[in-house]
Amino acid sequence: MEILRKPLLTEKVTQLTDKLNRYAFLVHPKANKIQIKSAIEAMYGVNITAVNTMRYVGKLKTRNTKAGPVSGRAATVKKAVVTLKDGETIDFYSNI
């Protein structure tokens, strides 16, 4: 099971990073906080003080086509917001 899917790089997360030293990631839906903490510490070499998780159920999507309405659902995702120790940072752009 790959725990970390990808980091979230949005305006809202950037503000959290600047003010509170928090970073957000998309994670596997069945990963728990302990697994998320150990995966991030191993990958980026930082110390984490807190992990907060949230689940978003995928929205129902419908569109009209020539064959009639087509409905489906967007993917369900789980996000993790981690707080690092003071003075530590994660640089996403140098690990490319």
Side-chain angles (χ1 to χ4, degrees):
M1 172 172 66
E2 183 181 329
I3 296 188
L4 297 178
R5 298 269 169 93
K6 65 179 182 178
L8 289 176
L9 300 172
T10 61
E11 290 181 29
K12 195 171 190 177
V13 173
T14 304
Q15 289 176 355
L16 274 176
T17 301
D18 293 340
K19 293 180 182 177
L20 301 173
N21 203 21
R22 292 184 180 183
Y23 295 86
F25 296 88
L26 285 181
V27 295
H28 191 276
K30 293 188 178 182
N32 61 28
K33 292 182 180 185
I34 298 167
Q35 293 171 333
I36 294 167
K37 180 178 177 178
S38 63
I40 294 173
E41 285 179 343
M43 182 174 255
Y44 295 105
V46 294
N47 294 321
I48 295 174
T49 59
V51 177
N52 299 77
T53 59
M54 58 201 90
R55 292 182 48 200
Y56 288 99
V57 178
K59 292 182 180 179
L60 187 62
K61 303 277 187 169
T62 305
R63 69 174 183 223
N64 293 318
T65 64
K66 289 181 182 179
V70 176
S71 62
R73 186 170 286 277
T76 300
V77 296
K78 185 172 187 177
K79 295 180 186 179
V81 179
V82 296
T83 306
L84 301 183
K85 275 190 172 178
D86 291 335
E88 293 190 359
T89 59
I90 296 175
D91 187 13
F92 295 119
Y93 301 108
S94 67
N95 294 335
I96 295 175

